[in-house]
Amino acid sequence: MTPLYYAVSAVLKAWHWAFDQIPGMSDGWVWVLSIIGLTITIRAMLIPLFVKQIKSSRNMQLLQPKIKELQKKYAHDRERLTQEQMKLWKDTGTNPFASCLPLLAQMPIFFALFRTIDQAAKKGGDGAKGFLTRDDAQSLSDAEFLGGRIAETFINAAHLPTQVLAIFLVIVMCATQFLTQRQLMAKNMPADALNGPYAQQQKMLLYVLPPVFAIGGIFFPLGVLFYWVTSNFWTMGQQFYVIRRNPAPGTPAFKAKQQRDAAKGKDVADDPATVVDEIVKPKPRAQPKKQTRNQRKKGGSR
């Protein structure tokens, strides 16, 4: 974790320096805005992974009819079914686990930030991690935002304002998590896909994850909760933009975009069936480059 401590603390300290130049701003506001700046930096760096996630998620949705065909065809041969599914995913450039990539990539950063704040809370200046100095760690440990101590958790809070702010952030965190997943399922999943195994997995996560995060959230310092809430809002806005501008074919969002395009006189997007066929169509083989008669003679004489 040591390299991550230095990476997280470097970004955090850079934002802290920038906000600390604003006259009259308290330490609490400076640290909260620095954590928000860290979140924005990390999420901006993860945009390529998000693009990959969107592409794979769309392909997974569009390939559900093909998956169902394979399940019927190889219902009594689980090994062959797995092989055919893997082949289909490989041919279409689809990764069924891509939806987890942004979350998995963030987890080490999340834990590094948690340890950085937690050690500052427990040890003050002696808990400095990475590029944070003793004064930085002590400032983080003592900083207050809206009456709540940034380095304290709901469980170990010494006074009520920290607990109230922690509960508020946990509720916002769970609500944004739920609404983001609900937005994806309600607007950007085809009707056929809503009854498939992929959709069932999404439905399960829709209702299971918020309570899990709520229980875990009471053990996180306020600073970590600010990171998580900011990240959720980023995900919600990013997803809203993608669904509106580039929705999956055959979804309510796709039909809404067709109506908007038609009203503006633009060409309506392709039919969903055409898009699915285009995805699963094998890539053409590269044809050998044509040669002149002299080139063929030279090649044969060697």
Side-chain angles (χ1 to χ4, degrees):
M1 292 290 289
T2 299
L4 286 175
Y5 292 143
Y6 278 97
V8 168
S9 62
V11 178
L12 193 63
K13 192 162 183 175
W15 281 106
H16 184 276
W17 177 87
F19 288 116
D20 200 35
Q21 307 306 307
I22 302 175
M25 185 171 288
S26 66
D27 284 348
W29 275 95
V30 170
W31 280 112
V32 167
L33 291 176
S34 300
I35 292 171
I36 293 175
L38 168 69
T39 311
I40 293 173
T41 302
I42 298 300
R43 292 308 305 268
M45 294 172 63
L46 292 178
I47 286 178
L49 280 182
F50 178 77
V51 173
K52 187 174 183 179
Q53 173 199 18
I54 289 295
K55 180 181 177 182
S56 292
S57 297
R58 286 187 61 182
N59 284 1
M60 285 292 292
Q61 295 167 18
L62 296 172
L63 291 174
Q64 285 306 306
K66 299 291 182 181
I67 295 293
K68 288 182 179 179
E69 290 178 10
L70 292 177
Q71 290 172 343
K72 291 180 181 179
K73 186 176 181 180
Y74 303 106
H76 304 292
D77 190 346
R78 303 295 298 179
E79 183 178 353
R80 181 66 185 277
L81 174 61
T82 302
Q83 292 175 353
E84 292 296 326
Q85 285 180 334
M86 295 294 290
K87 183 177 182 298
L88 180 63
W89 290 334
K90 182 179 180 181
D91 291 343
T92 57
T94 304
N95 182 359
F97 305 105
S99 59
C100 302
L101 290 178
L103 179 62
L104 292 176
Q106 281 191 88
M107 293 311 293
I109 304 297
F110 176 83
F111 284 118
L113 178 63
F114 174 86
R115 289 286 295 169
T116 299
I117 297 177
D118 185 62
Q119 289 300 301
K122 292 178 178 178
K123 301 179 182 179
D126 293 333
K129 291 282 187 181
F131 289 109
L132 295 184
T133 64
R134 289 178 57 88
D135 291 340
D136 293 332
Q138 190 63 51
S139 172
L140 179 58
S141 176
D142 298 336
E144 293 187 2
F145 179 81
L146 300 179
R149 297 282 293 273
I150 294 175
E152 289 185 351
T153 70
F154 176 86
I155 295 298
N156 66 12
H159 53 309
L160 184 60
T162 300
Q163 293 180 323
V164 172
L165 187 55
I167 290 297
F168 173 76
L169 290 175
V170 168
I171 292 174
V172 174
M173 178 183 71
C174 294
T176 51
Q177 184 83 28
F178 178 86
L179 292 174
T180 301
Q181 191 66 24
R182 180 65 180 169
Q183 178 191 47
L184 176 64
M185 296 184 65
K187 295 185 177 181
N188 207 42
M189 289 189 70
D192 293 340
L194 289 173
N195 298 320
Y198 178 74
Q200 296 303 316
Q201 179 187 15
Q202 297 298 311
K203 288 179 181 178
M204 182 183 68
L205 294 177
L206 176 66
Y207 294 102
V208 170
L209 287 182
V212 171
F213 289 147
I215 295 172
I218 63 176
F219 296 96
F220 297 147
L222 292 184
V224 175
L225 292 177
F226 276 112
Y227 174 91
W228 206 324
V229 168
T230 305
S231 182
N232 282 359
F233 274 113
W234 177 286
T235 300
M236 182 182 293
Q238 192 170 241
Q239 182 172 277
F240 176 82
Y241 176 84
V242 171
I243 290 176
R244 183 174 177 82
R245 298 293 297 272
N246 192 24
T251 63
F254 185 84
K255 294 178 181 178
K257 187 175 187 302
Q258 284 184 318
Q259 293 173 355
R260 291 196 304 270
D261 290 344
K264 295 178 181 178
K266 296 181 180 180
D267 292 335
V268 178
D270 293 335
D271 181 79
T274 304
V275 178
V276 175
D277 291 339
E278 191 67 27
I279 290 176
V280 300
K281 186 169 61 177
K283 296 180 180 179
R285 290 185 176 182
Q287 297 296 326
K289 188 177 180 181
K290 292 184 177 180
Q291 295 180 329
T292 64
R293 182 178 297 178
N294 291 335
Q295 288 175 328
R296 289 196 297 271
K297 286 182 178 180
K298 290 180 180 180
S301 62
R302 291 177 183 175

